């Protein structure tokens, strides 16, 4: 075969693939569906991000055109602000609680109620109800529960002859209370992911393990959990990204208090950027949050993909 013939073969193969794509309608579907997706992504992701990067270089209150260019001063102020350090640490704690408490709790409950029975269906509904509840409503409900004057916690303490405890006004207990509410609110979502995955595990494998003498715990550890690893990976990703976005529960419960001790990155952005009309500083915070989210998502994807290959 000559050099010309060798180069002609892959070209003919590419042409054949293009023809097959045109015949099957894949390219037509691509031409129809891809432009709207790109337009929406550009309008609602790329352009706002570009605007945030631009505005972060100004000291601007959001009115008129930004003109007071300050360069990287907003980022320097952000990194030097002790409340931002607290917000970063609180966000990290939310990620850890989601991964180490919320997900194992959801997995344990999923293993108990994944079988299709009327009783299990009722339990699933009960456990999933907190997730259906709106975040603001959940925050308001729990702020009443923890109220030191009229809340349920106060009533229980009074019934036991104890003094009232103002949980959400205490530096030591306010954020643990918020983390408790977040676990209660979202574990049902992860539980349903695990239930769907467990129901797809072949029953033959489970029955074979039981015939070999495996106990329920061993069946779960060595048969079921390894086979739903993909669901665990997806659940972990949702837990991490969700922890970076927590806002609606914290604002009605503590509004970042007491003394700015319960801020996350998003509530910090709202309190010190938007609500104070410091749009340039808030834009810098948004850019840092975006970089953190992309970095964490990339690291998580690389880590889980390496684990799946191993």
């Amino acid at each position: 075969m000559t050099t010309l013939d060798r180069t002609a073969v892959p070209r003919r193969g590419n042409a054949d693939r293009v023809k097959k794509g045109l015949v099957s309608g894949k390219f037509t579907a691509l031409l129809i569906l891809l432009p709207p997706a790109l337009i929406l992504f550009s309008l609602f992701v790329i352009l706002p991000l570009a605007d945030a990067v631009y505005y972060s270089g100004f000291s601007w209150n959001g009115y008129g055109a930004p003109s007071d260019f300050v360069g990287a001063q907003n980022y320097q102020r952000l990194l030097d602000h002790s409340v931002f350090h607290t917000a970063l640490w609180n966000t990290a704690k939310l990620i850890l609680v989601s991964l180490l408490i919320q997900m194992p709790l959801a997995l344990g409950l999923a293993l108990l109620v994944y079988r299709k029975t009327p009783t299990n269906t009722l339990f699933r509904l009960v456990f999933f109800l907190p997730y259906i509840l709106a975040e603001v409503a959940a925050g308001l409900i729990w702020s009443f529960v923890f109220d030191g004057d009229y809340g349920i916690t106060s009533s229980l303490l009074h019934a036991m002859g104890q003094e009232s405890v103002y949980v959400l006004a205490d530096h030591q207990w306010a954020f643990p209370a918020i983390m408790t509410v977040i676990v209660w609110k979202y574990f049902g979502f992860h539980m349903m992911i695990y239930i769907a995955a467990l129901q797809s595990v072949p029953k033959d494998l489970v029955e074979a393990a039981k015939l070999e003498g495996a106990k329920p715990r061993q069946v779960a550890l060595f048969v079921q959990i390894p086979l739903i690893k993909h669901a665990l990976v997806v659940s972990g990703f949702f837990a991490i990204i969700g922890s970076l976005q927590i806002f609606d529960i914290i604002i009605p419960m503590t509004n970042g208090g007491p003394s700015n001790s319960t801020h996350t990155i998003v509530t910090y952005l709202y309190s010190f950027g938007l609500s104070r009309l410091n749009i340039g500083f808030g834009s810098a915070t948004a850019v840092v949050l975006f970089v953190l989210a992309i970095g964490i998502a990339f690291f998580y994807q690389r880590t889980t993909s390496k684990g799946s290959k191993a």
Side-chain angles (χ1 to χ4, degrees):
M1 182 181 290
T2 63
T3 304
L4 181 61
D5 294 333
R6 291 195 193 100
T7 57
V9 170
R11 288 180 182 175
R12 284 200 300 269
N14 292 335
D16 292 339
R17 282 195 291 270
V18 171
K19 283 183 179 179
K20 289 181 180 178
L22 290 173
V23 171
S24 63
K26 291 181 180 179
F27 287 99
T28 303
L30 188 66
L31 291 174
I32 294 175
L33 298 177
L34 186 59
L38 288 176
I39 292 172
L40 291 175
F41 185 78
S42 300
L43 287 176
F44 296 104
V45 178
I46 301 299
L47 291 181
L49 178 62
D51 286 341
V53 173
Y54 174 72
Y55 294 140
S56 67
F58 294 87
S59 178
W60 183 48
N61 63 3
Y63 293 98
S67 57
D68 187 7
F69 183 74
V70 295
Q73 289 184 18
N74 285 324
Y75 294 96
Q76 188 62 47
R77 285 178 53 203
L78 181 68
L79 296 177
D80 293 339
H81 198 189
S82 60
V83 180
F84 180 69
H85 300 163
T86 301
L88 275 176
W89 175 232
N90 286 341
T91 303
K93 287 192 286 187
L94 284 178
I95 293 174
L96 291 175
V97 166
S98 297
L99 295 177
L100 302 179
I101 297 178
Q102 183 173 265
M103 286 177 57
L105 175 63
L107 180 58
L109 288 172
L111 288 167
L112 292 175
V113 301
Y114 78 93
R115 295 180 181 85
K116 297 179 181 180
T117 66
T119 304
N120 286 346
T121 302
L122 177 62
F123 278 115
R124 287 181 218 163
L125 176 62
V126 172
F127 292 140
F128 191 68
L129 278 177
Y131 179 71
I132 299 174
L133 192 65
E135 282 81 359
V136 174
L140 291 173
I141 290 171
W142 281 93
S143 65
F144 173 75
V145 171
F146 289 128
D147 187 271
D149 292 323
Y150 310 105
I152 297 175
T153 305
S154 177
S155 300
L156 292 174
L157 291 173
H158 288 164
M160 294 184 292
Q162 303 293 324
E163 295 183 358
S164 298
V165 176
Y166 296 84
V167 176
L168 299 180
D170 191 297
H171 287 78
Q172 184 177 359
W173 292 106
F175 200 72
I178 289 174
M179 290 190 291
T180 301
V181 175
I182 289 171
V183 171
W184 168 84
K185 177 76 172 65
Y186 294 106
F187 83 93
F189 169 75
H190 298 279
M191 181 193 71
M192 297 303 291
I193 293 177
Y194 302 147
I195 287 174
L198 287 168
Q199 289 178 347
S200 66
V201 173
K203 295 181 181 179
D204 295 343
L205 295 177
V206 176
E207 294 299 328
K210 290 180 179 178
L211 289 174
E212 291 294 330
K215 297 179 180 179
R217 181 181 298 179
Q218 294 172 322
V219 173
L221 289 176
F222 300 110
V223 178
Q224 293 174 307
I225 293 178
L227 290 175
I228 64 167
K229 185 178 179 181
H230 60 285
L232 296 174
V233 170
V234 171
S235 175
F237 180 79
F238 283 139
I240 293 171
I241 298 302
S243 299
L244 291 172
Q245 298 175 339
I246 291 294
F247 174 80
D248 296 343
I249 291 178
I250 296 176
I251 293 300
M253 288 186 69
T254 63
N255 198 26
S259 302
N260 297 317
S261 63
T262 59
H263 275 300
T264 60
I265 300 177
V266 181
T267 60
Y268 176 88
L269 187 158
Y270 171 77
S271 298
F272 290 89
L274 300 181
S275 65
R276 302 187 184 191
L277 293 181
N278 197 344
I279 307 303
F281 184 73
S283 298
T285 308
V287 172
V288 171
L289 175 61
F290 178 81
V291 172
L292 280 175
I294 292 296
I296 291 173
F298 180 75
F299 174 78
Y300 183 80
Q301 190 273 336
R302 290 291 299 271
T303 303
T304 53
S305 62
K306 285 180 180 179
S308 61
K309 290 179 182 178

